[in-house]
Amino acid sequence: EVQVDELQRLLAGMEKEHRSLLLKMKEGEAELARLRSVEGDKLAEQARSAQLEKEVAMLREKIHHLDDMLKSQQRKVRQMIEQLQNSKTVIQAKDAVIQELKERVAYLEAENLEMHDRIEHLIEKQVSRGGHSSRVRSKSEYVSRYVGSALTGPKPLPLIRVVET
């Protein structure tokens, strides 16, 4: 009986140890599954990280390319602005020359009219010694008339003669 009791006690201990080992085995399997899951998550995170690094590298390359294009366009715009400013300077210089030439033409036309009036006056004097005399216009009257018309446009002012009586 003592041997049977001892065997039963050993058997009970073995059953208890069997249950505890089963429980540890189940805990180990659960831990292994959790670790596999965590490892799978790490692999997924590593894959996502690698993908994001590739995207970042690609975006950096695009930004670098766009910066180069922007600098090139800025250089072109600066060159165009310089050309425009140079053109404006040239145009202003030519406008000044044109204005000076217009004033010269107006002066010469006034001089020409004055000469015509003097010739007319001399002819009138010779033809009619005595009659009515007309005053000879001064050069400044002609110049002011033609310079004024040269500044306002191509339309000449009407010729007005001043006659003294």
Side-chain angles (χ1 to χ4, degrees), residues 88-99:
K88 281 184 179 181
T89 304
V90 167
I91 288 172
Q92 287 173 347
K94 288 184 178 183
D95 282 347
V97 168
I98 289 171
Q99 187 60 37

Side-chain angles (χ1 to χ4, degrees), residues 146-164:
Y146 276 97
V147 168
S149 68
L151 294 176
T152 59
K155 190 165 64 171
L157 295 174
L159 181 63
I160 299 173
R161 288 194 181 173
V162 177
V163 178
E164 287 183 9

Side-chain angles (χ1 to χ4, degrees), residues 20-74:
S20 94
L21 288 175
L22 277 176
L23 184 61
K24 281 185 180 180
M25 185 181 80
K26 285 183 182 181
E27 286 175 0
E29 286 176 347
E31 180 68 19
L32 181 63
R34 187 183 67 75
L35 287 175
R36 283 182 181 159
S37 171
V38 167
E39 202 172 300
D41 289 346
K42 283 184 182 178
L43 288 175
E45 286 177 7
Q46 286 177 348
R48 178 71 178 142
S49 176
Q51 179 186 0
L52 289 174
E53 286 177 9
K54 286 179 184 177
E55 287 179 17
V56 166
M58 191 171 65
L59 290 173
R60 280 189 181 136
E61 185 65 29
K62 283 184 179 179
I63 289 171
H64 181 70
H65 179 68
L66 289 174
D67 283 344
D68 288 346
M69 288 176 55
L70 180 64
K71 287 176 184 175
S72 172
Q73 292 300 321
Q74 287 172 340

Side-chain angles (χ1 to χ4, degrees), residues 2-150:
V2 174
Q3 277 183 339
V4 170
D5 281 340
E6 183 138 344
L7 282 175
Q8 279 183 343
R9 190 175 51 81
L10 280 176
L11 187 61
M14 287 170 103
E15 283 180 9
K16 189 176 182 182
E17 190 177 341
H18 180 267
R19 278 193 300 262
S20 94
L21 288 175
L22 277 176
L23 184 61
K24 281 185 180 180
M25 185 181 80
K26 285 183 182 181
E27 286 175 0
E29 286 176 347
E31 180 68 19
L32 181 63
R34 187 183 67 75
L35 287 175
R36 283 182 181 159
S37 171
V38 167
E39 202 172 300
D41 289 346
K42 283 184 182 178
L43 288 175
E45 286 177 7
Q46 286 177 348
R48 178 71 178 142
S49 176
Q51 179 186 0
L52 289 174
E53 286 177 9
K54 286 179 184 177
E55 287 179 17
V56 166
M58 191 171 65
L59 290 173
R60 280 189 181 136
E61 185 65 29
K62 283 184 179 179
I63 289 171
H64 181 70
H65 179 68
L66 289 174
D67 283 344
D68 288 346
M69 288 176 55
L70 180 64
K71 287 176 184 175
S72 172
Q73 292 300 321
Q74 287 172 340
R75 275 193 301 272
K76 287 180 183 177
V77 167
R78 270 189 247 115
Q79 288 173 350
M80 290 173 71
I81 289 171
E82 287 175 12
Q83 287 176 349
L84 182 63
Q85 288 172 341
N86 291 340
S87 296
K88 281 184 179 181
T89 304
V90 167
I91 288 172
Q92 287 173 347
K94 288 184 178 183
D95 282 347
V97 168
I98 289 171
Q99 187 60 37
E100 185 180 321
L101 291 173
K102 281 182 179 179
E103 289 173 4
R104 279 186 187 169
V105 166
Y107 180 79
L108 291 173
E109 285 178 346
E111 233 179 30
N112 190 19
L113 278 176
E114 183 182 0
M115 295 300 243
H116 279 284
D117 277 356
R118 282 184 183 173
I119 291 172
E120 279 182 29
H121 180 69
L122 288 174
I123 292 173
E124 284 177 10
K125 242 183 184 178
Q126 287 178 356
V127 169
S128 66
R129 295 234 182 231
H132 68 292
S133 68
S134 62
R135 182 178 71 85
V136 176
R137 278 179 278 186
S138 70
K139 192 182 290 184
S140 64
E141 289 176 301
Y142 291 109
V143 170
S144 65
R145 190 176 127 241
Y146 276 97
V147 168
S149 68

